[in-house]
Amino acid sequence: MLNFIDGEWVESESGRWVERENPADSRVTVAKITQSVKEDVEKAVAAAARAFEKWRRIPAPRRGEILFKAGEILKNRREELARIITLEMGKILLEARGDVQEAVDMCYYMAGEGRRLYGETTPSELPDKDIKTIREPIGVVAAITPWNFPIAIPSWKILPALICGNTVVLKPSSYTSYSASAFIECLNDAGLPAGVVNQVNGGGEIGEILIKQSEVKAVSFTGSTKVGFEIEKTAVERHIPFMCEMGGKNAIIVLDDADIDLAVNGAVWGGYGTTGQRCTAASRLIVQESILNKFKSKLVNEIKKLKIGSGLDETVQIGPLVSENQRRRVHDYTQIGLEEGAKLVTGGKYYIEGGCEHGYFYEPTLFENVTPDMRIAQEEIFGPTVALIQCEDFKDALEIANGTNYGLSLAIYTRDINKAAIAEKELQSTLVYINAPTIGAEIHAPFGGIKNTGLLHKEAGGRGGAIDFYSRVKVVYRDYSGRLQRAQIDK
Ligand code: UN1
Protein backbone atom coordinates (compact mmCIF):
# COMPACT_ATOMS: atom_id res chain seq x y z
CA MET A 1 0.00 0.00 0.00
CA LEU A 2 1.38 3.30 -1.09
CA ASN A 3 1.10 6.71 0.48
CA PHE A 4 -1.35 9.11 -1.11
CA ILE A 5 0.17 12.55 -1.40
CA ASP A 6 -1.07 15.46 -3.51
CA GLY A 7 -3.35 13.24 -5.56
CA GLU A 8 -0.71 10.58 -6.33
CA TRP A 9 -0.05 7.11 -4.93
CA VAL A 10 3.64 7.16 -4.03
CA GLU A 11 6.20 4.97 -2.31
CA SER A 12 7.84 6.28 0.85
CA GLU A 13 11.27 7.77 0.53
CA SER A 14 12.43 5.15 3.06
CA GLY A 15 12.10 2.30 0.53
CA ARG A 16 11.00 0.18 3.50
CA TRP A 17 7.92 -2.04 3.39
CA VAL A 18 6.17 -4.21 5.97
CA GLU A 19 3.74 -7.02 5.35
CA ARG A 20 0.31 -7.29 6.88
CA GLU A 21 -0.90 -10.82 7.44
CA ASN A 22 -4.45 -12.14 7.51
CA PRO A 23 -5.36 -12.45 11.22
CA ALA A 24 -7.51 -15.50 10.42
CA ASP A 25 -4.52 -17.21 8.80
CA SER A 26 -1.19 -15.59 9.53
CA ARG A 27 0.54 -17.52 6.74
CA VAL A 28 -1.23 -15.35 4.19
CA THR A 29 0.00 -11.86 3.37
CA VAL A 30 -2.85 -9.45 2.71
CA ALA A 31 -0.90 -6.30 1.89
CA LYS A 32 2.57 -4.81 1.70
CA ILE A 33 2.74 -1.36 3.20
CA THR A 34 5.20 1.40 2.47
CA GLN A 35 6.75 2.72 5.70
CA SER A 36 6.82 6.49 5.86
CA VAL A 37 9.52 8.75 7.19
CA LYS A 38 9.48 12.40 8.19
CA GLU A 39 9.95 13.64 4.60
CA ASP A 40 6.78 11.87 3.49
CA VAL A 41 4.82 13.49 6.29
CA GLU A 42 6.21 16.90 5.41
CA LYS A 43 5.23 16.48 1.77
CA ALA A 44 1.72 15.36 2.68
CA VAL A 45 1.22 18.28 5.04
CA ALA A 46 2.60 20.74 2.49
CA ALA A 47 0.22 19.36 -0.15
CA ALA A 48 -2.71 19.63 2.26
CA ALA A 49 -1.74 23.20 3.18
CA ARG A 50 -1.61 24.22 -0.50
CA ALA A 51 -4.91 22.51 -1.27
CA PHE A 52 -6.56 24.23 1.71
CA GLU A 53 -6.33 27.64 0.07
CA LYS A 54 -8.49 26.43 -2.82
CA TRP A 55 -10.73 23.95 -1.04
CA ARG A 56 -11.87 26.37 1.63
CA ARG A 57 -13.11 28.73 -1.10
CA ILE A 58 -15.28 26.11 -2.82
CA PRO A 59 -18.88 26.62 -1.66
CA ALA A 60 -19.81 24.05 0.95
CA PRO A 61 -22.79 22.67 -1.05
CA ARG A 62 -20.38 21.98 -3.93
CA ARG A 63 -17.99 20.24 -1.55
CA GLY A 64 -21.04 18.28 -0.43
CA GLU A 65 -21.69 17.08 -3.99
CA ILE A 66 -18.29 15.43 -4.04
CA LEU A 67 -18.98 13.74 -0.71
CA PHE A 68 -22.35 12.55 -2.00
CA LYS A 69 -20.64 11.04 -5.01
CA ALA A 70 -18.12 9.36 -2.67
CA GLY A 71 -21.10 7.83 -0.86
CA GLU A 72 -22.39 6.40 -4.15
CA ILE A 73 -18.99 4.94 -4.98
CA LEU A 74 -18.62 3.40 -1.52
CA LYS A 75 -22.10 1.93 -1.77
CA ASN A 76 -21.35 0.38 -5.14
CA ARG A 77 -18.07 -1.04 -3.86
CA ARG A 78 -19.43 -2.08 -0.48
CA GLU A 79 -18.97 -5.80 -0.92
CA GLU A 80 -15.43 -5.50 -2.20
CA LEU A 81 -14.47 -3.08 0.59
CA ALA A 82 -16.08 -5.30 3.22
CA ARG A 83 -13.94 -8.21 2.04
CA ILE A 84 -10.82 -6.10 2.31
CA ILE A 85 -11.75 -5.20 5.90
CA THR A 86 -12.43 -8.83 6.81
CA LEU A 87 -9.18 -10.02 5.26
CA GLU A 88 -7.13 -7.32 6.88
CA MET A 89 -8.53 -7.04 10.41
CA GLY A 90 -10.70 -10.11 10.81
CA LYS A 91 -14.21 -8.87 11.64
CA ILE A 92 -16.98 -10.97 10.12
CA LEU A 93 -18.34 -9.91 6.71
CA LEU A 94 -21.72 -8.94 8.13
CA GLU A 95 -20.02 -6.41 10.38
CA ALA A 96 -17.51 -5.36 7.74
CA ARG A 97 -20.45 -4.39 5.52
CA GLY A 98 -21.76 -2.35 8.43
CA ASP A 99 -18.35 -0.68 8.73
CA VAL A 100 -18.56 0.44 5.09
CA GLN A 101 -22.22 1.39 5.55
CA GLU A 102 -21.26 3.82 8.33
CA ALA A 103 -19.00 5.57 5.84
CA VAL A 104 -21.78 5.62 3.20
CA ASP A 105 -24.18 7.12 5.75
CA MET A 106 -21.58 9.65 6.83
CA CYS A 107 -21.00 10.70 3.20
CA TYR A 108 -24.68 11.39 2.61
CA TYR A 109 -25.13 13.07 5.96
CA MET A 110 -22.11 15.33 5.64
CA ALA A 111 -23.01 16.09 2.02
CA GLY A 112 -26.29 17.49 3.37
CA GLU A 113 -24.44 19.41 6.06
CA GLY A 114 -22.86 21.36 3.22
CA ARG A 115 -26.20 23.15 2.92
CA ARG A 116 -26.63 23.47 6.66
CA LEU A 117 -23.45 25.07 7.94
CA TYR A 118 -25.62 27.53 9.76
CA GLY A 119 -24.53 30.54 11.69
CA GLU A 120 -26.67 32.90 13.76
CA THR A 121 -27.89 36.42 13.30
CA THR A 122 -28.78 38.73 16.12
CA PRO A 123 -29.74 42.38 16.41
CA SER A 124 -27.15 44.83 17.59
CA GLU A 125 -27.70 47.09 20.59
CA LEU A 126 -26.98 49.97 18.18
CA PRO A 127 -29.14 51.14 15.27
CA ASP A 128 -28.15 50.37 11.68
CA LYS A 129 -25.81 47.63 12.75
CA ASP A 130 -26.18 43.84 12.75
CA ILE A 131 -24.30 40.82 13.95
CA LYS A 132 -23.89 37.40 12.38
CA THR A 133 -21.73 34.36 12.95
CA ILE A 134 -20.18 32.31 10.18
CA ARG A 135 -18.31 29.01 10.33
CA GLU A 136 -14.80 28.80 9.01
CA PRO A 137 -12.48 25.84 8.53
CA ILE A 138 -9.36 25.49 10.66
CA GLY A 139 -6.78 24.33 8.13
CA VAL A 140 -4.91 21.05 7.79
CA VAL A 141 -6.33 18.38 10.07
CA ALA A 142 -4.39 15.30 11.20
CA ALA A 143 -6.58 12.20 11.49
CA ILE A 144 -5.08 9.27 13.38
CA THR A 145 -7.31 6.23 13.26
CA PRO A 146 -7.46 2.75 14.81
CA TRP A 147 -7.84 -0.66 13.17
CA ASN A 148 -11.16 -1.76 14.64
CA PHE A 149 -13.33 0.31 12.28
CA PRO A 150 -10.88 0.69 9.40
CA ILE A 151 -13.24 2.58 7.07
CA ALA A 152 -15.96 3.91 9.39
CA ILE A 153 -13.65 5.79 11.74
CA PRO A 154 -11.57 7.46 9.01
CA SER A 155 -14.91 8.52 7.48
CA TRP A 156 -16.08 10.06 10.78
CA LYS A 157 -12.99 12.20 10.86
CA ILE A 158 -12.37 13.01 7.21
CA LEU A 159 -15.88 13.75 5.94
CA PRO A 160 -16.92 16.38 8.51
CA ALA A 161 -13.45 17.92 8.25
CA LEU A 162 -13.86 18.21 4.47
CA ILE A 163 -17.38 19.58 4.43
CA CYS A 164 -16.24 22.38 6.73
CA GLY A 165 -13.48 23.23 4.24
CA ASN A 166 -10.45 21.69 5.93
CA THR A 167 -7.91 19.44 4.24
CA VAL A 168 -6.69 16.22 5.83
CA VAL A 169 -3.66 14.02 6.35
CA LEU A 170 -4.73 10.55 7.48
CA LYS A 171 -2.40 8.24 9.39
CA PRO A 172 -4.29 4.95 9.70
CA SER A 173 -3.35 2.11 12.00
CA SER A 174 -0.54 0.05 10.50
CA TYR A 175 -2.82 -3.00 10.77
CA THR A 176 -5.37 -1.52 8.38
CA SER A 177 -3.57 0.61 5.78
CA TYR A 178 -5.12 -1.41 2.97
CA SER A 179 -8.72 -0.70 4.03
CA ALA A 180 -7.83 2.96 4.57
CA SER A 181 -6.31 3.17 1.07
CA ALA A 182 -9.43 1.63 -0.44
CA PHE A 183 -11.52 4.29 1.29
CA ILE A 184 -9.21 7.12 0.19
CA GLU A 185 -9.36 5.80 -3.36
CA CYS A 186 -13.17 6.14 -3.29
CA LEU A 187 -12.87 9.75 -2.11
CA ASN A 188 -10.38 10.45 -4.85
CA ASP A 189 -12.58 8.81 -7.49
CA ALA A 190 -15.42 11.08 -6.40
CA GLY A 191 -13.37 14.01 -7.63
CA LEU A 192 -11.62 15.53 -4.64
CA PRO A 193 -8.95 17.96 -5.83
CA ALA A 194 -5.34 16.86 -5.33
CA GLY A 195 -3.99 17.43 -1.82
CA VAL A 196 -7.39 17.73 -0.14
CA VAL A 197 -6.97 14.27 1.38
CA ASN A 198 -3.61 12.57 1.92
CA GLN A 199 -2.58 9.32 3.54
CA VAL A 200 0.74 8.46 5.15
CA ASN A 201 1.32 4.90 6.31
CA GLY A 202 3.46 3.88 9.23
CA GLY A 203 3.51 3.30 12.95
CA GLY A 204 2.85 5.54 15.94
CA GLU A 205 6.03 7.54 15.37
CA ILE A 206 4.59 8.82 12.09
CA GLY A 207 1.49 10.04 13.89
CA GLU A 208 3.73 11.82 16.36
CA ILE A 209 5.70 13.53 13.60
CA LEU A 210 2.46 14.45 11.87
CA ILE A 211 0.87 16.29 14.78
CA LYS A 212 4.07 18.27 15.38
CA GLN A 213 4.04 19.84 11.91
CA SER A 214 3.42 23.56 12.19
CA GLU A 215 0.90 23.50 9.32
CA VAL A 216 -1.24 20.92 11.13
CA LYS A 217 -3.92 23.01 12.83
CA ALA A 218 -6.08 20.36 14.52
CA VAL A 219 -5.84 16.70 15.44
CA SER A 220 -8.49 14.02 15.71
CA PHE A 221 -7.51 10.69 17.23
CA THR A 222 -9.25 7.45 18.16
CA GLY A 223 -7.34 4.82 20.10
CA SER A 224 -5.96 4.04 23.53
CA THR A 225 -6.15 6.42 26.46
CA LYS A 226 -2.37 6.23 26.87
CA VAL A 227 -1.65 7.46 23.34
CA GLY A 228 -4.57 9.89 23.45
CA PHE A 229 -3.22 11.61 26.55
CA GLU A 230 0.16 12.06 24.81
CA ILE A 231 -1.59 13.56 21.80
CA GLU A 232 -3.57 15.89 24.04
CA LYS A 233 -0.34 17.10 25.63
CA THR A 234 1.26 17.80 22.26
CA ALA A 235 -1.88 19.55 21.06
CA VAL A 236 -1.98 21.77 24.14
CA GLU A 237 1.72 22.60 23.79
CA ARG A 238 1.11 23.49 20.15
CA HIS A 239 -2.11 25.27 21.07
CA ILE A 240 -4.22 23.44 18.50
CA PRO A 241 -7.67 21.91 19.00
CA PHE A 242 -7.82 18.18 19.59
CA MET A 243 -10.50 15.54 19.71
CA CYS A 244 -9.43 12.26 21.26
CA GLU A 245 -11.75 9.28 21.59
CA MET A 246 -10.08 6.82 23.90
CA GLY A 247 -10.69 3.72 25.98
CA GLY A 248 -13.93 2.40 27.43
CA LYS A 249 -15.16 -0.02 30.07
CA ASN A 250 -18.78 -0.16 29.11
CA ALA A 251 -21.45 -1.99 31.03
CA ILE A 252 -24.92 -3.41 30.64
CA ILE A 253 -27.10 -3.33 33.75
CA VAL A 254 -29.79 -6.01 33.93
CA LEU A 255 -32.47 -5.41 36.57
CA ASP A 256 -34.78 -8.09 37.91
CA ASP A 257 -37.76 -6.74 35.96
CA ALA A 258 -35.95 -6.91 32.61
CA ASP A 259 -36.90 -9.04 29.64
CA ILE A 260 -34.15 -11.56 30.30
CA ASP A 261 -33.99 -13.06 26.82
CA LEU A 262 -33.70 -9.61 25.29
CA ALA A 263 -30.94 -8.74 27.76
CA VAL A 264 -29.07 -11.96 27.01
CA ASN A 265 -29.19 -11.23 23.28
CA GLY A 266 -27.95 -7.71 23.94
CA ALA A 267 -25.15 -8.97 26.16
CA VAL A 268 -23.93 -11.42 23.52
CA TRP A 269 -24.00 -8.84 20.74
CA GLY A 270 -22.52 -6.09 22.92
CA GLY A 271 -19.88 -8.26 24.56
CA TYR A 272 -18.75 -10.53 21.75
CA GLY A 273 -19.67 -8.68 18.55
CA THR A 274 -16.51 -7.69 16.65
CA THR A 275 -14.79 -10.19 19.00
CA GLY A 276 -15.08 -7.51 21.69
CA GLN A 277 -12.85 -5.16 19.73
CA ARG A 278 -15.06 -2.10 19.88
CA CYS A 279 -14.48 0.84 22.14
CA THR A 280 -18.20 0.54 22.87
CA ALA A 281 -18.07 -3.21 23.68
CA ALA A 282 -19.96 -4.30 26.80
CA SER A 283 -17.20 -5.87 28.87
CA ARG A 284 -19.18 -5.73 32.13
CA LEU A 285 -22.59 -7.20 32.85
CA ILE A 286 -24.06 -5.91 36.08
CA VAL A 287 -26.90 -8.21 37.00
CA GLN A 288 -29.28 -8.13 39.95
CA GLU A 289 -28.66 -11.09 42.24
CA SER A 290 -32.24 -12.42 42.18
CA ILE A 291 -31.99 -13.17 38.44
CA LEU A 292 -28.27 -13.83 38.22
CA ASN A 293 -28.42 -17.62 37.89
CA LYS A 294 -31.19 -17.59 35.36
CA PHE A 295 -29.45 -14.89 33.32
CA LYS A 296 -26.11 -16.67 33.51
CA SER A 297 -27.36 -20.04 32.34
CA LYS A 298 -29.17 -18.49 29.37
CA LEU A 299 -26.10 -16.42 28.55
CA VAL A 300 -23.70 -19.35 28.68
CA ASN A 301 -26.05 -21.29 26.49
CA GLU A 302 -25.90 -18.55 23.85
CA ILE A 303 -22.13 -18.11 24.13
CA LYS A 304 -21.59 -21.81 23.50
CA LYS A 305 -23.57 -21.53 20.28
CA LEU A 306 -21.25 -18.88 18.84
CA LYS A 307 -19.28 -20.14 15.89
CA ILE A 308 -15.64 -19.11 15.76
CA GLY A 309 -13.72 -18.91 12.50
CA SER A 310 -12.74 -16.85 9.49
CA GLY A 311 -14.91 -13.79 9.02
CA LEU A 312 -15.30 -14.72 5.35
CA ASP A 313 -17.45 -17.69 6.38
CA GLU A 314 -20.98 -16.27 6.57
CA THR A 315 -21.97 -18.77 9.27
CA VAL A 316 -19.31 -17.50 11.70
CA GLN A 317 -20.06 -15.01 14.50
CA ILE A 318 -16.64 -14.64 16.12
CA GLY A 319 -13.67 -13.73 13.96
CA PRO A 320 -10.04 -13.59 15.08
CA LEU A 321 -8.39 -10.91 17.13
CA VAL A 322 -6.46 -8.38 15.09
CA SER A 323 -2.99 -9.59 16.05
CA GLU A 324 -1.01 -12.05 18.09
CA ASN A 325 -0.16 -9.20 20.48
CA GLN A 326 -3.81 -8.51 21.03
CA ARG A 327 -4.49 -12.20 21.64
CA ARG A 328 -1.68 -12.35 24.18
CA ARG A 329 -3.09 -9.31 25.92
CA VAL A 330 -6.53 -10.93 26.12
CA HIS A 331 -4.99 -14.11 27.47
CA ASP A 332 -2.96 -12.15 30.03
CA TYR A 333 -6.22 -10.71 31.30
CA THR A 334 -7.61 -14.22 31.64
CA GLN A 335 -4.67 -15.01 33.96
CA ILE A 336 -5.17 -11.74 35.81
CA GLY A 337 -8.86 -12.54 36.33
CA LEU A 338 -8.05 -15.98 37.71
CA GLU A 339 -5.35 -14.61 40.01
CA GLU A 340 -7.75 -12.00 41.31
CA GLY A 341 -10.18 -14.76 42.28
CA ALA A 342 -12.77 -14.43 39.54
CA LYS A 343 -14.25 -17.69 38.28
CA LEU A 344 -14.03 -18.66 34.63
CA VAL A 345 -17.46 -19.76 33.40
CA THR A 346 -16.48 -20.45 29.82
CA GLY A 347 -13.64 -19.72 27.37
CA GLY A 348 -10.25 -18.48 28.51
CA LYS A 349 -8.23 -20.29 25.85
CA TYR A 350 -6.71 -19.85 22.42
CA TYR A 351 -9.03 -21.38 19.86
CA ILE A 352 -7.12 -23.72 17.55
CA GLU A 353 -9.76 -26.07 16.24
CA GLY A 354 -11.28 -26.56 12.81
CA GLY A 355 -8.65 -24.83 10.67
CA CYS A 356 -8.20 -21.96 13.12
CA GLU A 357 -4.73 -22.94 14.24
CA HIS A 358 -3.00 -20.38 12.05
CA GLY A 359 -5.13 -17.43 13.13
CA TYR A 360 -5.41 -15.27 16.23
CA PHE A 361 -8.59 -16.84 17.55
CA TYR A 362 -9.68 -16.76 21.17
CA GLU A 363 -12.67 -18.34 22.82
CA PRO A 364 -15.49 -16.08 23.94
CA THR A 365 -14.74 -15.77 27.63
CA LEU A 366 -17.02 -15.15 30.59
CA PHE A 367 -15.95 -14.57 34.18
CA GLU A 368 -18.26 -14.65 37.18
CA ASN A 369 -17.73 -13.70 40.83
CA VAL A 370 -16.15 -10.52 39.57
CA THR A 371 -16.02 -7.66 42.04
CA PRO A 372 -16.15 -4.08 40.74
CA ASP A 373 -12.60 -3.28 41.84
CA MET A 374 -10.92 -6.16 40.00
CA ARG A 375 -8.68 -5.24 37.10
CA ILE A 376 -10.87 -7.22 34.68
CA ALA A 377 -13.75 -4.97 35.78
CA GLN A 378 -11.74 -1.76 35.51
CA GLU A 379 -9.32 -2.01 32.59
CA GLU A 380 -10.11 -2.07 28.91
CA ILE A 381 -9.25 -5.52 27.49
CA PHE A 382 -10.48 -5.05 23.92
CA GLY A 383 -11.28 -8.68 23.32
CA PRO A 384 -14.01 -11.29 23.84
CA THR A 385 -13.83 -11.19 27.63
CA VAL A 386 -16.85 -10.26 29.69
CA ALA A 387 -17.10 -9.85 33.47
CA LEU A 388 -20.33 -10.82 35.22
CA ILE A 389 -20.81 -8.64 38.29
CA GLN A 390 -23.56 -9.13 40.81
CA CYS A 391 -25.47 -6.15 42.18
CA GLU A 392 -28.00 -5.92 44.98
CA ASP A 393 -30.38 -3.33 43.66
CA PHE A 394 -30.81 -0.47 41.22
CA LYS A 395 -28.75 1.98 43.27
CA ASP A 396 -25.91 -0.49 43.61
CA ALA A 397 -26.06 -1.15 39.85
CA LEU A 398 -25.68 2.55 39.02
CA GLU A 399 -22.74 2.89 41.39
CA ILE A 400 -20.93 -0.07 39.88
CA ALA A 401 -21.65 1.08 36.32
CA ASN A 402 -20.28 4.54 37.09
CA GLY A 403 -17.33 3.23 39.09
CA THR A 404 -14.65 3.23 36.41
CA ASN A 405 -12.36 5.85 34.89
CA TYR A 406 -14.16 5.63 31.56
CA GLY A 407 -17.41 7.06 30.28
CA LEU A 408 -18.29 6.01 26.76
CA SER A 409 -21.36 3.77 26.70
CA LEU A 410 -23.64 2.37 29.41
CA ALA A 411 -26.84 0.39 29.00
CA ILE A 412 -29.72 -0.72 31.16
CA TYR A 413 -32.35 -3.39 30.68
CA THR A 414 -35.49 -2.75 32.70
CA ARG A 415 -39.25 -2.56 32.13
CA ASP A 416 -39.66 -0.01 34.88
CA ILE A 417 -40.05 3.35 33.12
CA ASN A 418 -39.14 5.29 36.24
CA LYS A 419 -35.89 3.42 36.70
CA ALA A 420 -35.09 3.87 33.00
CA ALA A 421 -35.65 7.61 33.37
CA ILE A 422 -33.46 7.84 36.45
CA ALA A 423 -30.70 5.77 34.80
CA GLU A 424 -30.74 8.10 31.82
CA LYS A 425 -29.81 10.96 34.13
CA GLU A 426 -27.49 9.17 36.54
CA LEU A 427 -25.33 7.11 34.20
CA GLN A 428 -21.95 8.76 33.65
CA SER A 429 -21.28 8.29 29.96
CA THR A 430 -21.95 10.12 26.73
CA LEU A 431 -23.94 7.22 25.28
CA VAL A 432 -26.77 5.66 27.26
CA TYR A 433 -28.85 2.80 25.91
CA ILE A 434 -32.20 1.72 27.31
CA ASN A 435 -33.13 -1.88 26.54
CA ALA A 436 -30.39 -2.12 23.93
CA PRO A 437 -26.69 -3.04 24.16
CA THR A 438 -23.79 -0.58 24.37
CA ILE A 439 -22.84 -0.80 20.70
CA GLY A 440 -24.49 0.50 17.57
CA ALA A 441 -24.25 4.29 17.70
CA GLU A 442 -25.78 6.03 14.68
CA ILE A 443 -23.86 8.55 12.67
CA HIS A 444 -26.18 11.55 12.95
CA ALA A 445 -25.91 11.82 16.74
CA PRO A 446 -22.78 12.92 18.63
CA PHE A 447 -20.35 10.15 19.57
CA GLY A 448 -17.69 10.13 22.25
CA GLY A 449 -17.10 9.93 25.94
CA ILE A 450 -16.35 11.62 29.24
CA LYS A 451 -13.73 10.92 31.94
CA ASN A 452 -10.70 9.13 30.46
CA THR A 453 -12.63 8.32 27.29
CA GLY A 454 -12.77 11.85 25.98
CA LEU A 455 -12.74 15.49 26.85
CA LEU A 456 -14.82 18.20 25.24
CA HIS A 457 -15.32 17.61 21.57
CA LYS A 458 -17.49 14.87 20.14
CA GLU A 459 -17.54 13.12 16.79
CA ALA A 460 -20.25 12.45 14.23
CA GLY A 461 -23.45 14.41 13.75
CA GLY A 462 -25.87 16.57 15.66
CA ARG A 463 -25.37 19.58 17.89
CA GLY A 464 -22.06 19.37 19.69
CA GLY A 465 -20.85 16.85 17.11
CA ALA A 466 -18.02 16.96 14.59
CA ILE A 467 -19.09 20.10 12.70
CA ASP A 468 -18.49 22.09 15.86
CA PHE A 469 -14.99 20.67 16.12
CA TYR A 470 -13.95 21.08 12.49
CA SER A 471 -15.18 24.64 12.12
CA ARG A 472 -14.78 27.73 14.16
CA VAL A 473 -17.02 30.62 14.62
CA LYS A 474 -16.32 34.08 13.29
CA VAL A 475 -18.50 36.98 14.42
CA VAL A 476 -19.14 39.66 11.84
CA TYR A 477 -20.40 43.08 13.01
CA ARG A 478 -21.73 45.18 10.15
CA ASP A 479 -22.34 48.86 10.73
CA TYR A 480 -24.27 50.62 7.98
CA SER A 481 -25.03 53.82 9.90
CA GLY A 482 -22.18 55.74 8.30
CA ARG A 483 -21.04 57.15 11.66
CA LEU A 484 -18.91 55.98 14.55
CA GLN A 485 -21.12 54.07 16.98
CA ARG A 486 -19.74 52.98 20.31
CA ALA A 487 -21.09 49.81 21.92
CA GLN A 488 -21.82 50.06 25.64
CA ILE A 489 -21.46 53.85 25.45
CA ASP A 490 -23.83 55.35 22.90
CA LYS A 491 -27.53 55.12 23.60
C1 UN1 B 1 -15.46 2.10 18.07
O1 UN1 B 1 -15.46 0.99 18.55
O2 UN1 B 1 -14.42 2.79 18.09
O3 UN1 B 1 -21.44 2.25 18.27
C2 UN1 B 1 -16.62 2.72 17.41
C3 UN1 B 1 -20.71 1.40 17.72
C4 UN1 B 1 -20.13 1.69 16.37
C5 UN1 B 1 -18.89 2.46 16.50
C6 UN1 B 1 -17.86 1.89 17.40
N1 UN1 B 1 -21.09 2.42 15.58
O4 UN1 B 1 -20.43 0.35 18.25
Side-chain angles (χ1 to χ4, degrees), residues 48-192:
R50 278 194 306 275
F52 177 62
E53 288 310 317
K54 288 195 190 131
W55 182 245
R56 72 185 177 90
R57 291 187 167 87
I58 295 177
R62 295 277 101 80
R63 295 196 291 257
E65 285 165 15
I66 299 177
L67 300 197
F68 190 88
K69 182 135 185 243
E72 300 281 274
I73 295 171
L74 283 163
K75 196 167 75 177
N76 289 335
R77 291 183 59 186
R78 195 167 82 134
E79 201 52 36
E80 173 205 340
L81 295 172
R83 278 178 184 273
I84 294 174
I85 291 176
T86 298
L87 276 175
E88 194 178 34
M89 66 68 67
K91 71 170 66 173
I92 60 171
L93 265 181
L94 180 80
E95 294 186 23
R97 290 182 193 118
D99 197 310
V100 182
Q101 189 58 44
E102 281 205 41
V104 173
D105 295 343
M106 194 59 100
C107 280
Y108 294 155
Y109 178 76
M110 286 299 162
E113 287 300 272
R115 290 187 186 266
R116 271 191 302 266
L117 291 177
Y118 297 131
E120 290 180 319
T121 59
T122 172
S124 163
E125 65 188 46
L126 294 162
D128 299 327
K129 189 177 175 189
D130 55 23
I131 306 170
K132 70 173 174 185
T133 65
I134 53 178
R135 286 180 186 272
E136 293 200 325
I138 306 170
V140 178
V141 172
I144 302 177
T145 55
W147 45 263
N148 67 332
F149 277 82
I151 290 187
I153 293 183
S155 84
W156 298 358
K157 298 192 187 303
I158 293 172
L159 301 169
L162 294 184
I163 200 65
C164 292
N166 305 282
T167 56
V168 179
V169 179
L170 169 70
K171 204 300 282 176
S173 160
S174 48
Y175 289 135
T176 50
S177 313
Y178 182 15
S179 307
S181 299
F183 173 58
I184 296 296
E185 192 178 78
C186 292
L187 295 183
N188 186 45
D189 290 350
L192 277 184

Side-chain angles (χ1 to χ4, degrees), residues 102 146 148-149 153 156 222 277-280 382 431 433 438-442 447:
E102 281 205 41
N148 67 332
F149 277 82
I153 293 183
W156 298 358
T222 298
Q277 302 171 107
R278 289 196 192 213
C279 52
T280 49
F382 227 66
L431 310 176
Y433 288 90
T438 52
I439 68 177
E442 299 181 27
F447 181 89

